[in-house]
């Protein structure tokens, strides 16, 4: 199966600091994969490279067979790549529904004139957007909050809304940066169920960065491991759990990772 996203010996340097070095990995259609590593391993930097926030110093990244070099984040979003962030970045002054509607604008075809004129085509498009937003909010049990400010939601619901907003861009690849950050054990169980359901319902690939090893081992089917900006392992959860380099990177000695 051809890779949907491919990193080929990707390196990025900031001045004299090499943050990511010669990283190669791929995400295939339908993958549910994890990117893990100790603090400072370069995980979010890799996400920023994938999504066009950073451009690599060397190496190549392709998405759906096309190089990402020179393409800005919104262009990659339009082509089918969406992400969430470690620190929630909702539109704070907008309602729950309008956060979702705003994300849908990435595929909007009406120009300024149609928006000003508000003819039949514009009204029809607006009705479709409203229906699609309502459907997504219903799927994720947020429809009862649709007219509330996004910041009035509980922490867990804000995390869920950020995922809904990403899905509103109609991605084929969803990148989740620390989706379980700040969640309690019960919320993490629900999050794992939700992520599986998203992959299966929307038929998309998901790659997540996560510090909670138990969540990663229970949820992901493939795992890539970084340490000090270098990929040290890729494999199934069982392979990663038993990998001496991974154990050394996390624990500094021969123990075992969560089963």
């Amino acid at each position: 199966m051809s890779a949907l996203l491919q990193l080929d010996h990707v390196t990025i340097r900031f001045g004299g600091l090499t943050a990511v070095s010669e990283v190669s990995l791929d995400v295939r259609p339908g993958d549910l994969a994890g990117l893990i590593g100790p603090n400072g391993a370069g995980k979010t930097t890799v996400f920023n490279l994938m999504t066009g926030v950073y451009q690599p110093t060397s190496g190549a990244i392709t998405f759906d067979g096309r190089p990402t070099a020179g393409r800005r984040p919104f262009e990659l979003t339009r082509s089918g790549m969406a992400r969430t962030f470690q620190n929630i970045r909702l539109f704070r002054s907008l309602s729950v529904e309008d956060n979702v509607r705003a994300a849908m604008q990435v595929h909007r075809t009406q120009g300024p004139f149609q928006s000003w004129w508000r003819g039949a085509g514009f009204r029809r498009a607006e009705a479709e957007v409203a229906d699609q937003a309502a459907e997504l909010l219903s799927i994720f049990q947020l429809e009862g909050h649709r007219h509330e400010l996004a910041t009035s939601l509980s922490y867990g619901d804000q995390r869920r809304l950020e995922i809904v907003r990403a899905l509103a861009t109609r991605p084929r690849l969803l990148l989740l940066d620390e989706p379980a950050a700040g969640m309690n054990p019960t919320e993490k169980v629900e999050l794992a169920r939700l992520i599986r359901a998203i992959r299966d319902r929307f038929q998309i690939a998901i790659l997540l960065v996560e510090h909670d090893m138990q969540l990663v081992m229970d949820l992901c089917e493939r795992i890539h491991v970084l340490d000090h900006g270098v990929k040290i392992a890729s494999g199934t959860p069982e392979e990663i759990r038993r990998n001496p380099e991974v154990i050394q990177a996390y624990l500094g000695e021969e123990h075992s990772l969560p089963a």
Side-chain angles (χ1 to χ4, degrees), residues 51 76-78 80-85 89-91 96 99-107 136-137 140 142 158-177 198 202 204-206:
T51 54
L76 291 171
T77 300
R78 191 175 289 161
M81 187 191 304
R83 72 173 291 181
T84 64
F85 295 88
R89 297 187 186 179
L90 296 172
F91 301 124
V96 168
N99 264 268
V100 180
R101 289 169 63 106
M104 292 178 174
Q105 302 305 310
V106 72
H107 295 296
L136 278 172
L137 290 171
F140 292 93
L142 290 170
Q158 287 188 42
R159 281 279 177 199
R160 201 158 10 141
L161 176 58
E162 194 175 37
I163 294 173
V164 173
R165 187 179 62 179
L167 288 172
T169 66
R170 305 200 297 267
R172 282 172 294 156
L173 172 62
L174 177 61
L175 305 173
L176 303 176
D177 193 352
I198 289 169
F202 294 96
I204 61 176
I206 298 176

Side-chain angles (χ1 to χ4, degrees), residues 148-217:
E148 299 174 17
L149 280 178
T151 51
S152 73
L153 297 178
S154 68
Y155 182 85
D157 282 348
Q158 287 188 42
R159 281 279 177 199
R160 201 158 10 141
L161 176 58
E162 194 175 37
I163 294 173
V164 173
R165 187 179 62 179
L167 288 172
T169 66
R170 305 200 297 267
R172 282 172 294 156
L173 172 62
L174 177 61
L175 305 173
L176 303 176
D177 193 352
E178 297 281 1
M183 290 188 173
N184 63 43
T186 301
E187 290 172 328
K188 289 179 182 180
V189 170
E190 173 59 21
L191 175 69
R193 184 204 64 77
L194 177 64
I195 291 172
R196 287 192 193 96
I198 289 169
R199 194 272 301 268
D200 296 340
R201 181 179 186 125
F202 294 96
Q203 296 293 294
I204 61 176
I206 298 176
L207 177 66
L208 62 106
V209 162
E210 184 52 61
H211 275 105
D212 189 312
M213 289 292 293
Q214 189 67 63
L215 176 67
V216 171
M217 292 294 177

